[in-house]
Amino acid sequence: MEGIQHKTVVSANGMNIHIAEKGDGPLVLLIHGFPELWYSWRHQIMYLADHGYRAVAPDLRGYGDTTGAPVNDHTKFSIIHLVADMIGLLDAITNEGEKVFVVGHDWGAIVAWNLCTFRPDRVKALVNMSVPFVRWNPDGDVVP
């Protein structure tokens, strides 16, 4: 899409995170689902940029052009790691402590919910699509 810039944010939580971005203004972090990439947000990036926002859509750990995740070690793909990736990305592309708008879809909504849970100091507002918030229950049984 015209005007969308592609960059690699080096050493964000030890990885090289590919982002697609456009616009100036308050940052909107767009987190994709499974099995998607930044490309899922291409139309929203254009709209947000045209309406005074800086839209940023990363490829998550293990997806697309984001590199550096230990793909042979499934323990490095926990929600803690994914949230840390988003914080590492925000640390690299925003001013210190800046709060951002977060939008998540599908698997990205789970990452976004947990980003808000673990780091509310970095989130201004949240919009999620297709996945409700489910609080973790340490005594729960995920298989009935």
Side-chain angles (χ1 to χ4, degrees):
M1 311 256 358
E2 187 173 321
I4 296 177
Q5 297 180 344
H6 295 269
K7 298 178 183 174
T8 299
V9 179
V10 179
S11 295
N13 196 32
M15 296 193 329
N16 298 320
I17 298 178
H18 169 259
I19 63 170
E21 72 175 329
K22 185 175 180 177
D24 294 307
L27 193 141
V28 180
L29 179 65
L30 303 163
I31 307 175
H32 69 75
F34 174 82
E36 301 169 341
L37 302 169
W38 75 268
Y39 190 74
S40 300
W41 297 108
R42 64 195 180 280
H43 300 294
Q44 291 80 9
I45 291 170
M46 299 298 288
Y47 182 88
L48 290 165
D50 289 345
H51 289 82
Y53 292 91
R54 178 183 176 200
V56 175
D59 286 340
L60 293 178
R61 173 180 289 244
Y63 291 84
D65 291 330
T66 291
T67 61
V71 294
N72 295 325
D73 184 358
H74 70 278
T75 66
K76 303 298 185 200
F77 284 80
S78 72
I79 198 67
I80 301 295
H81 290 92
L82 293 162
V83 168
D85 294 346
M86 295 300 97
I87 293 300
L89 174 62
L90 292 177
D91 287 347
I93 66 172
T94 64
N95 296 322
E96 185 175 341
E98 181 180 342
K99 290 187 171 195
V100 302
F101 296 101
V102 179
V103 181
H105 174 253
D106 187 64
W107 171 241
I110 296 169
V111 176
W113 284 121
N114 282 280
L115 175 60
C116 292
T117 300
F118 295 129
R119 293 299 304 271
D121 59 308
R122 298 304 302 273
V123 178
K124 187 180 297 186
L126 171 68
V127 175
N128 270 336
M129 297 174 283
S130 76
V131 177
F133 177 70
V134 178
R135 186 170 299 206
W136 179 65
N137 179 355
D139 300 319
D141 186 358
V142 295
V143 180

